[in-house]
Amino acid sequence: MTFDIEEWYHLLELKSTSRPDQWVGFEPRLEANTERILTLLNESGVKATFFVMGWIARHSPSVIRRIAEAGHELGVHSWDHSLISKQSRMEFREDLKRSCGEVSGLSGKPVRMYRAPGFSIVSDTIWALEELMRQGIIADASIFPTSRAHGGFPSFPVDQPCIIEAGGMQLYEFPLNTAKFFNHRVVFSGGGYFRLLPYEIIRRLTNRSSYVMSYFHPRDFDPGQKMLPGLTPLRMFKSYYGLHGSLGKLARLISEFDFVDIGKAIDQNDWSKAYVHRI
């Protein structure tokens, strides 16, 4: 069970929200939206991994402390939601170092988990996995092993937990899981996919899966958020469809299936049988 901690206006490559200097003009909704999630998790006894933007940690530290105090695991989700494909290797290295420093400074613990904005670790940016290892990250959840806007890594060989090796180092990789749906490989376990699909389909696909990596955002459960300017009709549909029923859908999901954070998943998995991907 994972959540990407970002504000409701942090949509990728939208001109009206693409720069941090633009964000001060938008209503902050993260605290209330995150509290809604924490309440549900507490009532259900579920622990999750929260991937936090460094910018969020800097400007909303109370939200991050609240997540940590509730006993959840903190990871990093970049500094300002920039796609890795838009960065050089050096820029990514500095972004990662800065983000980890900000989050660990609030929690008092080293950051061990990472997820890239837009799942933007792809075939052309796979070098980022080695940079994660050099920073001390032990687990990544950035691989989207099918086609996707902003990311997608359809040539990645598995959609199950695996081990990445590079330069004598190892990283636990938790890619998104996929399922066949009308002859297409789809990801059903988070974000717009979760809001779009009827619950019974999600339930059926979850039952058929040996591994599920969920991913959600606080905005996925916020029907009161405003409509952002400049969205295409398709992007508007993806971003706003199903908001009214999403929290109830999540409550039902975690009542029917057992979810853990990534740290617990590492302990529970038999890594001697895992696929090893060398880069």
Side-chain angles (χ1 to χ4, degrees), residues 98-135:
R98 185 185 185 192
S99 303
C100 288
E102 195 72 34
V103 174
S104 64
L106 289 175
S107 67
K109 298 178 181 179
V111 175
R112 306 190 307 155
M113 315 290 174
Y114 180 83
R115 173 173 286 146
F119 298 96
S120 53
I121 294 183
V122 298
S123 57
D124 291 340
T125 59
I126 199 168
W127 46 261
L129 295 173
E130 185 173 1
E131 292 298 328
L132 294 180
M133 299 180 218
R134 294 188 183 281
Q135 177 62 33

Side-chain angles (χ1 to χ4, degrees), residues 101-228:
E102 195 72 34
V103 174
S104 64
L106 289 175
S107 67
K109 298 178 181 179
V111 175
R112 306 190 307 155
M113 315 290 174
Y114 180 83
R115 173 173 286 146
F119 298 96
S120 53
I121 294 183
V122 298
S123 57
D124 291 340
T125 59
I126 199 168
W127 46 261
L129 295 173
E130 185 173 1
E131 292 298 328
L132 294 180
M133 299 180 218
R134 294 188 183 281
Q135 177 62 33
I137 301 294
I138 68 166
D140 175 65
S142 301
I143 302 295
F144 195 100
T146 187
S147 298
R148 172 188 167 87
H150 312 301
F153 201 153
S155 64
F156 196 77
V158 293
D159 63 355
Q160 300 288 311
C162 63
I163 294 173
I164 307 291
E165 287 189 351
M169 301 176 291
Q170 285 192 338
L171 178 76
Y172 298 115
E173 180 61 49
F174 288 87
L176 270 291
N177 58 292
T178 64
K180 279 289 186 70
F181 190 68
F182 291 109
N183 293 320
H184 294 281
R185 287 177 74 195
V186 298
V187 171
F188 61 88
S189 55
Y193 304 89
F194 181 79
R195 288 184 278 103
L196 174 64
L197 293 172
Y199 180 78
E200 288 306 322
I201 292 177
I202 293 171
R203 184 175 184 272
R204 190 179 310 137
L205 293 175
T206 301
N207 271 319
R208 292 177 181 174
S209 303
S210 60
Y211 154 77
V212 170
M213 166 58 73
S214 72
Y215 75 100
F216 302 101
H217 313 83
R219 67 174 176 267
D220 287 322
F221 311 102
D222 178 15
Q225 63 190 284
K226 296 178 181 179
M227 192 73 66
L228 286 166

